[in-house]
Amino acid sequence: MIRLVLADDQVLLRQGLRMILEAADDMDVVGEADDGAGAVALAVEQGPDVILMDVRMPEVDGLEATSRIRALMPDGPRILILTTFDLDEYVYASLRAGASGFLLKDTLTADLLSGIRAVARGDAIVAPQVTRRLIERHIGSAGDPLPRSESDLRELTEREREVLGLVARGLSNAEIAGRLFLAEGTVKGHVSRILAKLDLRDRVQAVILAYECGLVRPG
């Protein structure tokens, strides 16, 4: 069973999510919080596998809550940000704080469930069209220097750099395999080595690093 905590200040949204999630045979909601402080407390008390975290909440928002949970529990629950995107300006910062990805609040039920399962098994959820817009907003804007340089990628082979660039553009392993004429298992191996060499937790951090280093550019 995937044990979940819901953190959102909208009661109706939490109720709707609980109904959807508990209808799945492999999911169990073990707690609800209406702000970030409550989410942190439940993370410590319940030790869930995944926390569905809203960004904008009173007192302690999702960004701060994510940062606190990662500090208290580095190997603790995976955090999946739920956002309305156009209103939430802190999603990119949340990913840097340690979230494993994000989904839009109007995502289809099947995509939500598959996303939670992916995050629970250690993968990351990166919505390509949203990633591009967030990166454009937060990285490499005029007069804003990139925090990393391409030299940070020096340990990667040419093939690994090519794979990382495609990961940063939001392609799945299967799509990368088709693009590069490789077996999907080979691509998975490349991704694993990239994460290990760069000391990254998941694909989300890989996307961020690729943009920060200038391997791929916004737009």
Side-chain angles (χ1 to χ4, degrees):
M1 295 291 287
I2 300 173
R3 303 175 71 253
L4 296 137
V5 161
L6 310 179
D8 197 294
D9 61 340
Q10 298 181 37
V11 177
L12 289 177
L13 181 62
R14 294 202 312 271
Q15 291 176 343
L17 283 173
R18 178 183 280 272
M19 291 177 61
I20 291 171
L21 300 177
E22 293 195 333
D25 294 336
D26 58 343
M27 298 187 188
D28 181 29
V29 177
V30 298
E32 297 181 22
D34 59 8
D35 65 7
V40 175
L42 283 172
V44 174
E45 294 169 7
Q46 297 291 338
D49 301 302
V50 178
I51 299 175
L52 297 186
M53 184 83 75
D54 186 22
V55 176
R56 291 192 169 186
M57 293 183 288
E59 302 298 330
V60 177
D61 63 18
L63 170 60
E64 178 62 24
T66 297
S67 181
R68 291 184 189 182
I69 291 169
R70 285 280 74 86
L72 291 170
M73 310 169 71
D75 299 318
R78 310 281 290 183
I79 299 172
L80 181 57
I81 300 294
L82 289 180
T83 176
T84 53
F85 172 62
D86 286 326
L87 297 177
D88 295 333
E89 300 175 356
Y90 305 117
V91 177
Y92 172 72
S94 298
L95 297 179
R96 294 201 68 188
S100 296
F102 57 86
L103 291 173
L104 301 181
K105 286 186 176 179
D106 61 357
T107 192
L108 297 175
T109 297
D111 292 336
L112 173 63
L113 296 178
S114 63
I116 291 171
R117 292 181 182 115
V119 165
R121 64 175 177 261
D123 293 333
I125 301 300
V126 181
Q129 73 278 18
V130 181
T131 299
R132 283 194 297 271
R133 292 177 65 180
L134 286 169
I135 293 296
E136 287 171 4
R137 180 179 296 182
H138 291 282
I139 294 181
S141 57
D144 189 14
L146 293 171
R148 307 286 288 269
S149 70
E150 197 167 356
S151 64
D152 289 303
L153 307 179
R154 60 184 175 274
E155 294 187 20
L156 301 184
T157 65
E158 285 302 313
R159 175 63 86 184
E160 288 167 349
R161 288 166 64 93
E162 189 174 15
V163 170
L164 176 58
L166 295 175
V167 168
R169 291 182 172 87
L171 275 67
S172 67
N173 287 349
E175 291 169 333
I176 295 172
R179 179 76 65 89
L180 299 181
F181 303 101
L182 299 172
E184 188 172 347
T186 301
V187 173
K188 185 175 181 180
H190 282 312
V191 172
S192 295
R193 285 190 291 276
I194 290 168
L195 298 182
K197 285 183 177 182
L198 301 179
D199 193 26
L200 302 173
R201 186 183 62 252
D202 52 36
R203 293 171 81 100
V204 171
Q205 290 191 337
V207 169
I208 293 170
L209 180 62
Y211 275 93
E212 289 184 336
C213 290
L215 182 64
V216 290
R217 296 288 183 181

